[in-house]
C-alpha cells in the first residue's frame, strides 16, 4: 500500500459526492463522532492521491489511516466499528453478528445495484425501480417491528439501508400506504443530527429536488 503526504497523519475518506455506499461509510463515521478529512472524488477522474494509494483498485469509498488504505464499504464499516467501539454498531453475540453481516451483504448485493442502475439511467431504469420497490416491501416486517431494522439499537444494517430510503423520492419510487412504516423508520433516523452530518451538500438536497 502506497502512502501520500495527505494520508500519513490523518484519517481520510475518499468519497463521491452522491454515492449510496460512500454515504453508508460517512453515516458510520457520523454515528461514532469520528473526525476525518473528506476528499471529494470525481469517479471519472480520480485524484492522483487515490491512484497512488491503489493503482489497481482506485474506487470509492477508500479510507486511509496513517499508512494504511482500506477499501470496500463493508470492510471499512466493520473496521470503523472495531477501531472506534462506542457506540457499537454490531451486536456482541456471534450469531447476531452473523445475521447483521448477512443483512448488510443482501443490501449491498441486491438493493445497491438497483439504486446504481436508476442513477445511471438508460433502458433498465424501470426494471430497477420495480425490483428495488419489491425488495423494500419484502422487508416490511423488519420496518414494522422495531425502532431500527434489527431492534432498538442502530446498527451497520441501518447505515446501509437509510441512505437508500433517503434517496427514494429522487429515485422515483413511491411506496404504497401500507408501507408507511418505511418512511416512519427513515424519519426517525433523518431527524438525528448525525445523519445530517453524514451527507454531502449534493445529498442533502435530494429530497427537496425530488419533491419540488
Amino acid at each position: 500500500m502506497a502512502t501520500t503526504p495527505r494520508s500519513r497523519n490523518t484519517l481520510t475518506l475518499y468519497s463521491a459526492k452522491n454515492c449510496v455506499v460512500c454515504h453508508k461509510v460517512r453515516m458510520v463515521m457520523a454515528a461514532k463522532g469520528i473526525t476525518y478529512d473528506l476528499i471529494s472524488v470525481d469517479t471519472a477522474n480520480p485524484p492522483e492521491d487515490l491512484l497512488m494509494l491503489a493503482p489497481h483498485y482506485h474506487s470509492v469509498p477508500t479510507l486511509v489511516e496513517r499508512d494504511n488504505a482500506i477499501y470496500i464499504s463493508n470492510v471499512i464499516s466493520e473496521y470503523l466499528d472495531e477501531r472506534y467501539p462506542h457506540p457499537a454498531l454490531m451486536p456482541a453475540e456471534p450469531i447476531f453478528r452473523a445475521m447483521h453481516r448477512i443483512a448488510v451483504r443482501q443490501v449491498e448485493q441486491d438493493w445497491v445495484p438497483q439504486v446504481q442502475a436508476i442513477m445511471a439511467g438508460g433502458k433498465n431504469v424501470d426494471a430497477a425501480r420495480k425490483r428495488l420497490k419489491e425488495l423494500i416491501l419484502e422487508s416490511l416486517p423488519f420496518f414494522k417491528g422495531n425502532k431500527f431494522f434489527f431492534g432498538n439499537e442502530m446498527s451497520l444494517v441501518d447505515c446501509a439501508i437509510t441512505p437508500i430510503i433517503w434517496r427514494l423520492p429522487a429515485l422515483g419510487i413511491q411506496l404504497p400506504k401500507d408501507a408507511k412504516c418505511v418512511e416512519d423508520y427513515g424519519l426517525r433516523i433523518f431527524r438525528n443530527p448525525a445523519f445530517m452530518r453524514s451527507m454531502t451538500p449534493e445529498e442533502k438536497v435530494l429530497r427537496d429536488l425530488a419533491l419540488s
Side-chain angles (χ1 to χ4, degrees):
M1 287 174 281
T3 63
T4 69
R6 176 185 286 162
S7 68
R8 188 165 294 141
N9 296 312
T10 60
L11 190 66
T12 303
L13 180 68
Y14 291 82
S15 170
K17 294 179 180 179
N18 179 13
C19 166
V20 70
V21 293
C22 293
H23 190 178
K24 173 178 70 174
V25 171
R26 285 187 262 109
M27 191 170 168
V28 172
M29 299 178 89
K32 290 177 173 291
I34 300 170
T35 300
Y36 63 99
D37 291 337
L38 179 65
I39 307 299
S40 241
V41 173
D42 175 358
T43 54
N45 185 27
E48 184 178 348
D49 281 7
L50 189 55
L51 294 174
M52 289 173 60
L53 287 163
H56 304 295
Y57 200 90
H58 45 81
S59 65
V60 289
T62 290
L63 181 72
V64 181
E65 184 166 18
R66 297 185 183 276
D67 293 342
N68 300 305
I70 305 169
Y71 328 109
I72 308 172
S73 65
N74 290 345
V75 176
I76 296 171
S77 297
E78 289 205 28
Y79 168 76
L80 290 169
D81 197 45
E82 294 174 358
R83 176 73 174 80
Y84 303 91
H86 303 292
L89 295 177
M90 285 281 276
E93 298 84 353
I95 185 61
F96 294 130
R97 292 175 74 88
M99 294 299 102
H100 278 65
R101 287 190 176 104
I102 289 170
V104 170
R105 185 173 177 83
Q106 287 176 333
V107 171
E108 192 87 358
Q109 289 192 330
D110 298 337
W111 297 35
V112 169
Q114 313 311 322
V115 174
Q116 293 171 335
I118 297 167
M119 292 176 65
K123 63 181 181 180
N124 296 322
V125 168
D126 289 341
R129 283 197 183 104
K130 181 175 183 292
R131 182 58 183 147
L132 181 57
K133 186 174 181 178
E134 290 172 349
L135 289 165
I136 294 170
L137 295 179
E138 288 169 6
S139 301
L140 281 186
F142 292 96
F143 291 107
K144 287 180 178 178
N146 305 302
K147 180 179 180 181
F148 295 103
F149 196 79
F150 264 154
N152 292 321
E153 300 294 334
M154 186 174 170
S155 74
L156 293 183
V157 183
D158 301 292
C159 293
I161 288 175
T162 309
I164 297 175
I165 303 302
W166 174 260
R167 285 165 168 75
L168 289 183
L171 295 172
I173 294 177
Q174 183 173 2
L175 299 177
K177 290 182 179 179
D178 61 359
K180 184 178 180 296
C181 56
V182 178
E183 183 69 11
D184 293 341
Y185 160 89
L187 289 174
R188 284 194 294 273
I189 300 176
F190 301 160
R191 290 171 179 151
N192 189 312
F195 180 77
M196 297 305 296
R197 291 197 303 271
S198 75
M199 289 191 289
T200 64
E202 291 79 7
E203 289 166 339
K204 287 179 179 178
V205 300
L206 286 176
R207 286 207 159 211
D208 290 338
L209 289 174
L211 298 175
S212 60

